[in-house]
Amino acid sequence: MRKEPEYQAMLEEELKEYLKDTKMTPKERKALREWVAAGHSVHENNAMAVCEGGYPIDFLDIYREEEELRQVTKDMSSEDARKYMMDYYGYSDDSRNHASEPLDDIDFSKLKGRDLDFIFGN
């Protein structure tokens, strides 16, 4: 995904500043350098995750979280790892754990027939 030379130079300068200000392991530094070399900003991430303000979470923050999850789940069975990850991200296989979402903010006046059957499970 390498970009125009001027843009890549800007990314490299951004990386240089980021490396000065941020402590990281050699493995993290290598992953970050590869990310930037592929044409991405240090302030972007491969999960397209954003913070509350809608700004992308830095690559390194997501990388660290993913690495931590890999370490925690490395000795688990694939099913146990899946369940752990579902719970970690706030999902559950158990429908009893899900409260139904309020429907009062939906305008049903434009829906009719089969659309309503689908929504209400008829």
Side-chain angles (χ1 to χ4, degrees):
M1 179 181 167
R2 285 195 66 93
K3 307 220 175 168
E4 298 293 324
E6 300 86 24
Y7 185 74
Q8 192 65 37
M10 183 206 63
L11 293 176
E12 295 293 335
E13 188 60 34
E14 181 183 68
L15 172 63
K16 192 185 312 182
E17 290 299 314
Y18 194 83
L19 290 171
K20 276 197 278 186
D21 298 335
T22 310
K23 292 184 180 187
M24 63 188 80
T25 66
K27 184 177 177 182
E28 292 170 341
R29 180 175 276 108
K30 180 178 187 277
L32 184 60
R33 286 183 187 279
E34 289 172 358
W35 176 253
V36 171
H40 303 284
S41 167
V42 297
H43 302 295
E44 298 174 329
N45 64 78
N46 56 343
M48 298 196 305
V50 295
C51 62
E52 286 182 25
Y55 298 101
I57 298 171
D58 288 355
F59 171 84
L60 190 56
D61 294 328
I62 296 296
Y63 179 86
R64 287 173 173 165
E65 180 180 30
E66 289 175 348
E67 187 61 28
E68 182 180 323
L69 289 168
R70 276 189 288 276
Q71 292 302 313
V72 168
T73 60
K74 71 180 180 184
D75 295 326
M76 293 181 184
S77 70
S78 59
E79 181 61 17
D80 287 343
R82 186 187 70 76
K83 286 180 181 177
Y84 181 88
M85 297 294 280
M86 294 280 287
D87 185 55
Y88 180 86
Y89 287 111
Y91 297 101
S92 172
D93 288 342
D94 188 354
S95 60
R96 294 172 296 179
N97 290 339
H98 292 297
S100 55
E101 295 184 26
L103 300 177
D104 45 344
D105 61 339
I106 299 174
D107 180 7
F108 290 105
S109 66
K110 295 183 175 83
L111 300 175
K112 49 187 155 177
R114 294 189 137 187
D115 294 332
L116 291 173
D117 289 344
F118 175 77
I119 291 171
F120 293 111
N122 296 328

